[in-house]
Amino acid sequence: MEGKIIFLFSILLLSVVSHSQNFDHKSAYDQLQTNGFPVGLLPENVVGYSLNTTTGDFVLNLDDHCQITLPPDNYLASYSTKITGKLLDRRIKELNGIRVRAFFQWWSITGIKSTEDDLVFEVGIASAKYKSKNFGAIPFCEGRKPRVASV
Ligand SMILES: *[C@@H]1O[C@H](CO)[C@@H](O)[C@H](O)[C@H]1NC(C)=O
């Protein structure tokens, strides 16, 4: 009897947890779109999310490191389990936790701008422009444990 109750309670708890994760998951991508960004900037494994709507400060939690290949030039991008920054209208500043591999090195993406058709990724004082339409779909992580060290 007791076992059964505990079992039922676990099921209940699990469903509550997965429900709230879905909610967070959804709202992070919705929030991106609300601020003029495509959903494909974030990988599928976002499990937690908070945003101060006054300051734009956000914290994103992923369930694991995530590595994806960025279209169209096939640069590798690495997402940490915790990503922070400031989300403003068509502008992400003070970004921390996303890196790209180019020219045989990992570079931190420090900011992202969204214009009519393009996304401008800032790496310190340098930047690279890509068509937003390449980021229309939420990417899957390539393997659970990328070889790169965390940020
Ligand atoms: C948002 O940030 C401001 C300034 O740091 C702070 O005063 C406010 O309490 C924050 N709001 C929330 C909901 O955390």
Side-chain angles (χ1 to χ4, degrees), residues 4-84:
K4 207 169 202 171
I5 288 172
I6 290 170
F7 176 72
L8 278 177
F9 183 69
S10 314
I11 296 281
L12 200 70
L13 204 65
L14 264 180
S15 66
V16 168
V17 168
S18 59
H19 191 83
S20 65
Q21 282 185 348
N22 278 339
F23 176 78
D24 286 333
H25 182 91
K26 237 194 167 123
S27 67
Y29 304 100
D30 287 349
Q31 200 64 52
L32 269 181
Q33 291 192 303
T34 303
N35 287 273
F37 287 96
V39 292
L41 273 184
L42 287 177
E44 28 102 41
N45 63 335
V46 174
V47 290
Y49 167 70
S50 77
L51 171 74
N52 181 324
T53 47
T54 312
T55 60
D57 288 308
F58 69 84
V59 179
L60 277 172
N61 298 105
L62 276 54
D63 69 357
D64 202 349
H65 298 279
C66 179
Q67 197 161 288
I68 63 171
T69 305
L70 288 181
D73 291 344
N74 297 335
Y75 286 126
L76 269 185
S78 168
Y79 291 75
S80 298
T81 51
K82 186 178 174 191
I83 297 164
T84 60

Side-chain angles (χ1 to χ4, degrees), residues 84-148:
T84 60
K86 252 184 208 296
L87 179 64
L88 307 168
D89 187 41
R90 300 188 161 267
R91 187 98 181 74
I92 296 172
K93 296 195 330 195
E94 294 163 37
L95 186 60
N96 239 300
I98 306 178
R99 296 187 302 160
V100 283
R101 179 130 181 114
F103 309 112
F104 314 105
Q105 266 194 356
W106 287 99
W107 308 82
S108 287
I109 296 179
T110 48
I112 306 171
K113 261 192 276 198
S114 180
T115 65
E116 194 91 338
D117 297 319
D118 300 309
L119 287 176
V120 180
F121 292 90
E122 297 162 345
V123 177
I125 56 164
S127 67
K129 197 155 92 170
Y130 290 102
K131 292 276 167 235
S132 305
K133 65 175 193 297
N134 291 320
F135 296 86
I138 298 172
F140 293 101
C141 302
E142 294 164 8
R144 306 296 294 175
K145 288 267 184 237
R147 278 155 297 156
V148 58

